[in-house]
Amino acid sequence: MRESLGRWYRAHGRDLPWRHTQDPYAIWVSEVMLQQTQVATVIPYFQRWMQALPRIPDLAAAPQQRVLKLWEGLGYYRRALNLHKAAQILMQEQQGTFPTDLETVLALPGIGRTTAGGILSAAFNQPVPILDGNVKRVLARLVALQHPPAQCLPLLWQLSEQVLDPVQPRRFNQALMDLGATVCRPKQPRCGECPWQAECSAYNRGQHHQLPMSVPRPSRPHKQIAVAIVLRGKEILIDQRLETSMLSGLWEFPGGKIEPGETAAECVVREVKEEIGIDIEVVTELATIEHAYTHFTITLIAFICRYLSGEARPLQCTEVRWVRPAELSKFPFPGANQKLFPYLHAWLAEQRGALDSESSRDP
Ligand code: SF4
C-alpha cells in the first residue's frame, strides 16, 4: 500500500508552494493557514506572508496589527494571534529556531497533534502521523468505519500511525493528504483512480458513497446586529475589539446586538454611547448584509450617523480612532465589516458628487 501510494503521488501529487521548502517555519505557517481553509485560498496568503515575514524573528517582532492585516480575510483570526505568540515564545526559549521534538512543538499555542505531525514529517522527515479532515475520510473508508470519525479518533490515530511509512514519512503524509483532497473526495470519490482500491473496505462493500458517517450538525443561531458608521467632518470612527472577545485585535464599526423591543437605529445610538461614550444621531441606513460564522449567522444593518457630542473613549473596546476613509484599508477588519466598505465608499462618492454639483451651481 505504501509503494502504490508513493507511485500514485509521484505521478499525481499536488505542486504546492510550501512543498518546495523544508523550512519548518514556512511549513508551520502553511499548516496553520490550512487548518480551516482551502488550499486555493491559502496559496496567495502564504506567499504574501512569507514575503512580508520570512523568518521567525520577523514574525516575533512584527506589530500585532501587521500580523492581523496579513491574515485579513482568512478568518479564524485566533490562528494568526497564536502564530505571533508562538514566534515570540520561540525567540525567548529556542533562540528563534523551530523545535524538532513533538512535545515542545505541541506546547506551542495553536499547534495540535495533526499540525505538529504535518510540520515534523514535512520539515524533518520524522515518522509522526497526521489526522486532518482528508486523512480521517480516507482511513474511515479504508476500514469501512461504521461510526462517525469524530467518535473514533483514538482508532483513527492508531490507523494513521500504522499505515505511515517509517522510511519516507514526509512523502507518505503528503501523499495521504493529496489522496483525500483529490481522489477520495467527500462527494463522488474517484475510486477508479485510487491506488488503494483493492484494499479499501468501503469500496469493496459498495459503501464508498455512504461513508464516512456524519453527525447531524445543530442549526446555527442567528443574531441581528446594528453598526454605526459615525462621521465627524471627514473622519470616521472605528474601534478595536477587546482582547477577550471573538475576533480580538480586529477593528470594526461600533455597534452590537439589537435588544428586544428596540429598533436597529435605536440600537446603534445606545451601543455607541455604551461602547465609546459619545452621542450620535442616525442620518440614513446604509446597507443590510448577511454573514455566516462557524457557530452562528448574522444580519448586519449599518447606518451612517453624525457625531453630536462627547469625547470618544474605549469603554467597551481596546482603542478608538477617528480615521479618514482612505485609511480604513490599513486596519484589519472582520469579513462582515469588510462587506460594508463598497457601500460606504459609494455613499461617500455620492455625497461628494452632490456637493460638487451644488458648488458648480453657485454664482
Ligand atoms: S477506493 Fe474510493 S473510497 Fe476507497 S480510499 Fe480509494 S477513493 Fe477512497
Side-chain angles (χ1 to χ4, degrees), residues 122-263:
F124 306 116
N125 205 27
Q126 287 186 22
V128 188
I130 53 168
L131 195 63
D132 69 356
N134 286 324
V135 175
K136 272 183 211 160
R137 185 170 58 255
V138 175
L139 297 177
R141 283 174 173 161
L142 198 62
V143 298
L145 189 67
Q146 301 298 316
H147 303 278
Q151 294 173 4
C152 301
L153 292 181
L155 173 76
L156 291 170
W157 272 112
Q158 202 186 327
L159 264 176
S160 183
E161 201 163 352
Q162 246 174 318
V163 292
L164 177 62
D165 184 344
V167 182
Q168 302 200 58
R170 172 190 296 126
R171 190 188 71 173
F172 182 88
N173 276 347
Q174 290 173 346
L176 195 54
M177 284 189 274
D178 283 10
L179 187 73
T182 63
V183 172
C184 195
R185 306 175 307 178
K187 288 184 185 143
Q188 306 292 331
R190 295 175 170 150
C191 301
E193 299 165 29
C194 180
W196 283 357
Q197 193 197 70
E199 294 85 4
C200 176
S201 298
Y203 178 78
N204 289 320
R205 293 181 190 189
Q207 292 183 329
H208 46 295
H209 290 294
Q210 287 89 52
L211 298 178
M213 294 180 79
S214 54
V215 202
R217 277 194 180 187
S219 61
R220 289 183 284 188
H222 185 78
K223 297 179 187 177
Q224 298 268 353
I225 308 281
V227 296
I229 299 176
V230 184
L231 301 177
R232 188 185 68 180
K234 290 185 175 167
E235 291 178 324
I236 295 173
L237 182 68
I238 58 172
D239 70 85
Q240 191 181 29
R241 290 179 66 85
L242 286 172
E243 283 289 313
T244 48
S245 69
M246 180 190 156
L247 306 169
S248 74
L250 297 189
W251 292 78
E252 64 178 8
F253 301 116
K257 209 168 125 206
I258 303 170
E259 298 291 350
E262 182 180 57
T263 66

Side-chain angles (χ1 to χ4, degrees), residues 229-233 235-237 272 276-283 304-312 322:
I229 299 176
V230 184
L231 301 177
R232 188 185 68 180
E235 291 178 324
I236 295 173
L237 182 68
V272 170
I276 318 274
I278 60 169
D279 293 302
I280 58 166
E281 68 178 355
V282 169
V283 175
I304 297 287
C305 302
R306 186 180 297 122
Y307 164 81
L308 292 178
S309 62
E311 189 195 336
W322 291 99

Side-chain angles (χ1 to χ4, degrees), residues 23-187:
D23 170 13
Y25 167 66
I27 293 164
W28 170 34
V29 170
S30 74
E31 286 287 338
V32 173
M33 286 185 171
L34 289 164
Q35 279 171 359
Q36 316 277 353
T37 314
Q38 302 281 328
V39 165
T41 309
V42 164
I43 290 173
Y45 277 92
F46 172 78
Q47 288 167 331
R48 210 166 42 235
W49 181 288
M50 291 308 296
Q51 257 181 2
L53 307 170
R55 298 169 315 126
I56 291 172
D58 303 317
L59 171 57
Q64 190 190 77
Q65 289 305 294
R66 184 152 185 244
V67 173
L68 288 172
K69 190 69 196 166
L70 284 164
W71 202 271
E72 189 183 60
L74 266 184
Y76 300 95
Y77 290 86
R78 177 67 51 195
R79 293 181 293 171
L81 297 175
N82 279 336
L83 265 172
H84 195 206
K85 205 187 304 169
Q88 289 166 345
I89 293 172
L90 292 179
M91 289 307 291
Q92 284 161 13
E93 297 177 4
Q94 308 282 336
Q95 292 83 46
T97 59
F98 198 87
T100 55
D101 68 291
L102 182 60
E103 208 178 311
T104 313
V105 175
L106 282 172
L108 292 169
I111 299 190
R113 203 171 155 192
T114 199
T115 303
I119 302 168
L120 292 175
S121 61
F124 306 116
N125 205 27
Q126 287 186 22
V128 188
I130 53 168
L131 195 63
D132 69 356
N134 286 324
V135 175
K136 272 183 211 160
R137 185 170 58 255
V138 175
L139 297 177
R141 283 174 173 161
L142 198 62
V143 298
L145 189 67
Q146 301 298 316
H147 303 278
Q151 294 173 4
C152 301
L153 292 181
L155 173 76
L156 291 170
W157 272 112
Q158 202 186 327
L159 264 176
S160 183
E161 201 163 352
Q162 246 174 318
V163 292
L164 177 62
D165 184 344
V167 182
Q168 302 200 58
R170 172 190 296 126
R171 190 188 71 173
F172 182 88
N173 276 347
Q174 290 173 346
L176 195 54
M177 284 189 274
D178 283 10
L179 187 73
T182 63
V183 172
C184 195
R185 306 175 307 178
K187 288 184 185 143

